[in-house]
């Protein structure tokens, strides 16, 4: 597992794009995807998920998915929802019930390659081995996740995680403002 480097200028561009009140709808999400894919140098993809979270056993619903890199919203939704079925509810709460940032291999499976989750490889048009997620859930359970596809397993240090969690707070705030 390699340490993930971040492009700080791309992070600033991402936050600026999130608060852009002139751009709306799909164009706004497209800007976030464009800037998100620049955050870690060499990233392969970026995908925007909107979801609703609750503490119930089946309390995670995917409301929207935007990406040019998944095989389509239905494939992404099916894979995303199937992947979460095998996860401990405490991990789901840690992933989607609050603000979080990290790689899928760090946050979810503790070092297990997300690509080994059934359906992961089928979801992507090109090889994505791990992903960097910026997640923010509001008090009403509605949340967003910017998932950035990576070509290898990666991890974040404490400083990078703290920085990305602050960026996730901004993405969530901008999303709620819309």
């Amino acid at each position: 597992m390699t340490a993930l480097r971040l492009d700080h200028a791309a992070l600033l561009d991402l936050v600026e794009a999130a608060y852009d009140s002139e751009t709306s709808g799909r164009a706004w999400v497209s800007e976030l995807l464009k800037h998100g894919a620049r955050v870690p140098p060499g990233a392969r993809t970026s995908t925007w998920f909107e979801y609703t979270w609750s503490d119930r056993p089946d309390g995670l619903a995917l409301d929207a998915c935007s990406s040019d890199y998944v095989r389509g919203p239905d494939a992404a939704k099916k894979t995303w929802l199937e992947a979460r079925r095998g996860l401990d509810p405490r991990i789901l709460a840690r992933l989607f019930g609050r603000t979080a940032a990290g790689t899928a291999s760090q946050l979810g499976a503790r070092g297990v390659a997300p690509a080994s989750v059934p359906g992961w490889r089928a979801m992507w048009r090109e090889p994505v081995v791990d992903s960097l997620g910026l997640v923010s859930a509001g008090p009403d359970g509605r949340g967003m996740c910017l998932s950035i596809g990576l070509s290898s397993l990666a991890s974040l240090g404490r400083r990078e995680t703290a920085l990305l969690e602050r960026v996730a707070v901004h993405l969530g705030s901008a999303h709620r403002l819309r």
Side-chain angles (χ1 to χ4, degrees), residues 9-172:
L11 281 171
L12 288 172
D13 291 342
L14 177 61
V15 171
E16 184 176 309
Y19 286 115
D20 179 2
S21 60
E22 304 279 319
T23 308
S24 63
R26 290 185 68 70
W28 179 74
V29 172
S30 292
E31 283 298 305
L32 297 181
L33 294 174
K34 178 179 81 174
H35 294 297
R38 291 182 30 236
V39 168
R44 297 203 173 249
T45 68
S46 59
T47 302
W48 176 263
F49 296 104
E50 294 177 25
Y51 63 89
T52 304
W53 161 260
S54 78
D55 287 324
R56 294 187 319 270
D58 201 28
L60 183 63
L62 185 61
D63 301 324
C65 171
S66 297
S67 176
D68 292 335
Y69 298 101
V70 294
R71 294 192 188 275
D74 291 339
K77 181 175 183 174
K78 180 180 177 200
T79 302
W80 199 69
L81 293 174
E82 282 179 4
R84 64 108 172 127
R85 283 194 184 111
L87 293 176
D88 182 308
R90 292 172 296 191
I91 292 174
L92 283 175
R94 198 174 88 211
L95 290 173
F96 302 108
R98 63 179 184 89
T99 297
T103 63
S105 57
Q106 271 184 304
L107 290 173
R110 300 278 180 189
V112 173
S116 67
V117 173
W120 175 276
R121 289 183 191 267
M123 181 169 81
W124 302 102
R125 288 186 181 165
E126 57 183 86
V128 172
V129 175
D130 202 349
S131 65
L132 170 63
L134 305 176
V135 180
S136 182
D140 63 353
R142 291 180 31 188
M144 49 67 41
C145 172
L146 177 62
S147 177
I148 302 165
L150 307 171
S151 60
S152 62
L153 289 178
S155 64
L156 293 170
R158 276 193 215 129
R159 290 179 65 191
E160 292 84 3
T161 299
L163 173 64
L164 289 174
E165 284 176 350
R166 288 193 289 274
V167 171
V169 167
H170 284 290
L171 292 177

